[in-house]
Amino acid sequence: MQDDMRLSVFSEKKDRQLVYKPEICIGCGTCVQACPKGVLSVGAVGAVARGLLDADFLEMTKRDECLVCGICARVCPTGALELRQEGKPLNDTSYISKAVKPTSVNENCVHCGLCEDICPQGCIEVIREISGDGSLKLVGKTNIDTECCVHCGWCAAVCPVDAISVEKPFAGTWTRAEDVCQTCHTCIDVCPANAIFNKKAKSGERVEKITHRPDACIYCGACAVSCPVDAIDVRKTAILPEMEKKGPLEKKLLDAPVPEALLRTRLETDEAACLGCGNCVIVCPVNALDNRELASGYLNDMDEKALLEVRNGKVSVVNQDVCGGDGTCALICPVNAIWLVKKEVE
């Protein structure tokens, strides 16, 4: 990972610091789930992941109450939170990100490049050239950036010679309410492991709205945190790596729901630019869940919408407080007349 990675000091107590590395944070909220004082918040994960909001996934809302105990850093699966003492990282095997075995490649590697092509985080670089000894083979190096790796297992799954070893941080369960899901694709865009996708349907075939790949899932919970209609439930059922002091962390995490996403955004609109087309009103997952007839063309024939509606030919925000911070409306607007801005949270 680059030496110039951006760092943010969340809290300090005497000689201890809690440091945040937003570039390797995946927005899963595991740290929020474990924090004993409730001083961390996660939200607008969909908008941030989609590049619609200039913000980090995570923020500390009550710095004075932080104990700098390090529990959040211990449960973080990527090492995005780091506890430091006298400026030096504490990184023993009581931290999940350090206890989990680094993804590694052995000498059987043929440098075919499939792992590089499939890695959802772009963590693998394959340098290859034709052998100079007269044989018909590739030689080179396969380099894995272990700071970037989320341990999804894609690389090991596609490797034709079983040269890659991966250990996952968590086992868990993933469920989704089909009747609640509005197919807004937020979970697909957020998932760090490419474990959620839309299955392509053949003509006349009925398929589920969103499909889950269990073998790629790391059960981090980012999809559930980001879902604007709370259609997804992710539970961790085990911490998989052997590590010190695992028991207390399991009591915090296992079978617990993901933390509630904090509303960290506000919708703003430009009436002069708005065409009144209603695309945002129709695709808004909160609207769609509240009024199923929207997708059938009942744009102006219903009572007040839950979040967005068209009034006098212009888009109008009905209730900011129910927004899921996913940014689906902003993605579809043809004239950039609606967008999300970050708001201060208490």
Side-chain angles (χ1 to χ4, degrees), residues 13 20 41 57 80 94 134 164 180 187 204 207 210 260 278 286 309 331:
K13 286 278 193 302
Y20 177 49
S41 64
F57 291 130
S94 65
I164 301 179
V180 176
C187 55
V207 297
I210 299 295
E260 182 179 353
V286 176
E309 67 179 11
L331 284 176

Side-chain angles (χ1 to χ4, degrees), residues 86-164:
E86 297 180 346
K88 297 180 180 180
L90 299 176
N91 53 10
D92 57 40
T93 56
S94 65
Y95 295 77
I96 290 176
S97 63
K98 300 301 178 183
V100 66
K101 295 175 183 175
T103 298
S104 60
V105 58
N106 64 33
E107 66 277 2
N108 294 333
C109 177
V110 294
H111 314 295
C112 65
L114 284 175
C115 56
E116 181 180 25
D117 293 340
I118 203 69
C119 178
Q121 292 292 318
C123 300
I124 302 176
E125 179 188 35
V126 178
I127 302 169
R128 54 185 180 270
E129 58 187 35
I130 296 174
S131 172
D133 63 3
S135 61
L136 303 182
K137 66 180 182 180
L138 288 173
V139 295
K141 291 183 179 180
T142 298
N143 300 316
I144 300 175
D145 185 342
T146 55
E147 282 196 72
C148 163
C149 177
V150 296
H151 306 275
C152 62
W154 270 107
C155 53
V158 302
C159 180
V161 292
D162 296 326
I164 301 179

Side-chain angles (χ1 to χ4, degrees), residues 44-55 57 189 326 331:
V45 172
V48 174
R50 287 168 160 174
L52 300 171
L53 187 69
D54 184 15
F57 291 130
D189 293 340
D326 53 286
L331 284 176

Side-chain angles (χ1 to χ4, degrees), residues 199-217:
K199 188 181 291 185
K200 292 184 179 179
K202 298 177 182 178
S203 180
E205 182 184 10
R206 180 184 176 89
V207 297
E208 57 191 351
K209 295 175 181 177
I210 299 295
T211 303
H212 178 236
R213 295 184 174 106
D215 290 342
C217 188

Side-chain angles (χ1 to χ4, degrees), residues 53 60 69 75 211 264 273 302 312 341:
L53 187 69
M60 180 170 282
C69 63
V75 301
T211 303
R264 302 168 63 213
M302 295 185 296
N312 301 318
V341 297

Side-chain angles (χ1 to χ4, degrees), residues 13-19 68 74 82-92 95:
K13 286 278 193 302
K14 296 182 180 179
D15 61 344
R16 291 161 74 92
Q17 287 183 321
L18 179 64
V19 175
V68 198
R74 292 181 192 277
E82 185 175 84
L83 190 64
R84 296 182 178 184
Q85 188 155 7
E86 297 180 346
K88 297 180 180 180
L90 299 176
N91 53 10
D92 57 40
Y95 295 77

